[in-house]
Amino acid sequence: MNTTEETNETNETNETREAKRGGAGSVQSVERAVSVLEILAARGEAGVSSIADELGVHRSTAFRLLGVLESRGLVDQEKDRGKYYLGVGVLRLAGAAALRLDISQEGVAVLRALADDTGETANIAILDRDAAVNIMQARGSAAVTAHNWLGRRFALHATATGKVLLANLPEGRREEFLGRGPERFTARTITGRTALRAELATVAERGHARTVEELEDGLNAVGAEVRAFDGSVVGAIGVSGPAYRMTEESLPGTAGKVVEAARELSQRMGYGG
């Protein structure tokens, strides 16, 4: 057996052993992939061999890692020299993280003012896969016994902020959500595909969403979209309260305050529309 064959056999043996380790091998692959990104961030660019040396792995392993990262847009390659560098996908992820930080930082004063103005519980929610997650909360003077919504995930179709986020999803993702048969929480939860489409069209038309005892009996809410500098919807701000205070008749008035708060927060995020 020649040296090349011995090397290939050794590599195959190592790869087989790693595959057999299952979860441990997967974690190690993730750690190595992150290390690749850190190496490129520090150096600016690097070739497969130097990355492999830095990681302490065979060249074929480094090449596979780079291939996966390249397929996701996290690294790119200079075709003429073979050097790799960070791709635009990293900027996309960094931008998303920055927007979440911005909405938290800029939302404090706006949320507090909205809670004071309405007397109810005010929240800011962002999209997390197929749910709305409340990342901030402020309580008004009347919300002594209000729910603690902070950090909780909520169904998009049954909450006011969730409806806003759902209405602004790309059509394909929105239809995929509707096709899964949304859960019913109360007798007033909108679950039918046709009815939900009509509801989301109304949300888009009037610029805010309302829920009337759709998540919990006796709980009403209003939500409006928050936009970033590029016009994309990065979250929603809303107010919720008991139905005996936030009556259906009073919701339009509350909606005006929520829309104004959403407009102010969007402006703080750099949106000029």
Side-chain angles (χ1 to χ4, degrees):
M1 182 181 293
N2 61 37
T3 303
T4 301
E5 290 174 340
E6 289 176 350
T7 301
N8 289 339
E9 183 177 348
T10 301
N11 290 338
E12 289 173 1
T13 301
N14 290 338
E15 289 171 6
T16 301
R17 288 172 181 167
E18 182 171 321
K20 288 181 178 178
R21 285 200 299 268
S26 299
V27 172
Q28 187 179 52
S29 295
V30 173
E31 290 176 344
R32 287 172 174 173
V34 173
S35 296
V36 170
L37 296 177
E38 290 175 340
I39 291 169
L40 295 179
R43 297 187 184 181
E45 62 178 22
V48 177
S49 296
S50 61
I51 290 174
D53 291 342
E54 183 82 13
L55 295 177
V57 301
H58 191 269
R59 192 175 186 276
S60 63
T61 300
F63 187 77
R64 284 200 312 276
L65 290 170
L66 287 162
V68 172
L69 293 171
E70 186 175 12
S71 71
R72 298 302 181 94
L74 298 176
V75 305
D76 208 341
Q77 183 183 23
E78 293 184 1
K79 303 303 180 184
D80 55 337
R81 295 194 301 146
K83 299 283 188 178
Y84 287 87
Y85 54 91
L86 293 179
V88 294
V90 173
L91 297 177
R92 183 183 68 250
L93 295 177
L99 286 173
R100 290 193 177 195
L101 289 173
D102 285 347
I103 198 171
S104 296
Q105 293 169 353
E106 300 295 344
V108 174
V110 177
L111 197 67
R112 181 70 265 170
L114 180 60
D116 289 343
D117 192 19
T118 61
E120 304 294 350
T121 301
N123 288 284
I124 292 177
I126 60 173
L127 183 69
D128 183 21
R129 297 188 295 277
D130 290 336
V133 177
N134 287 329
I135 60 171
M136 298 185 69
Q137 176 173 292
R139 294 183 179 180
S141 58
V144 178
T145 59
H147 297 72
N148 182 11
W149 304 122
L150 193 60
R152 291 182 56 186
R153 292 168 56 85
F154 295 97
L156 295 176
H157 66 291
T159 57
T161 51
K163 285 183 184 180
V164 169
L165 297 172
L166 182 57
N168 284 280
L169 281 179
E171 184 177 359
R173 286 189 62 189
R174 189 167 60 245
E175 285 299 314
E176 181 183 352
F177 178 89
L178 297 180
R180 287 199 292 270
E183 181 181 355
R184 179 174 295 281
F185 297 96
T186 72
R188 303 190 72 167
T189 307
I190 304 173
T191 59
R193 191 180 303 187
T194 301
L196 265 175
R197 284 199 193 101
E199 175 70 5
L200 296 177
T202 299
V203 170
E205 180 181 352
R206 68 189 179 195
H208 70 272
R210 306 173 191 173
T211 54
V212 179
E213 301 186 80
E214 295 170 43
L215 180 67
E216 289 186 6
D217 290 324
L219 181 70
N220 293 345
V222 177
E225 64 197 31
V226 176
R227 294 183 179 272
F229 65 93
D230 60 356
S232 61
V233 174
V234 293
I237 188 169
V239 168
S240 59
Y244 67 84
R245 282 202 307 261
M246 284 185 61
T247 63
E248 290 189 57
E249 292 73 24
S250 70
L251 290 185
T254 303
K257 297 177 180 179
V258 173
V259 169
E260 183 55 38
R263 183 179 297 114
E264 180 182 350
L265 181 51
S266 296
Q267 290 173 348
R268 286 171 175 256
M269 296 282 291
Y271 179 60

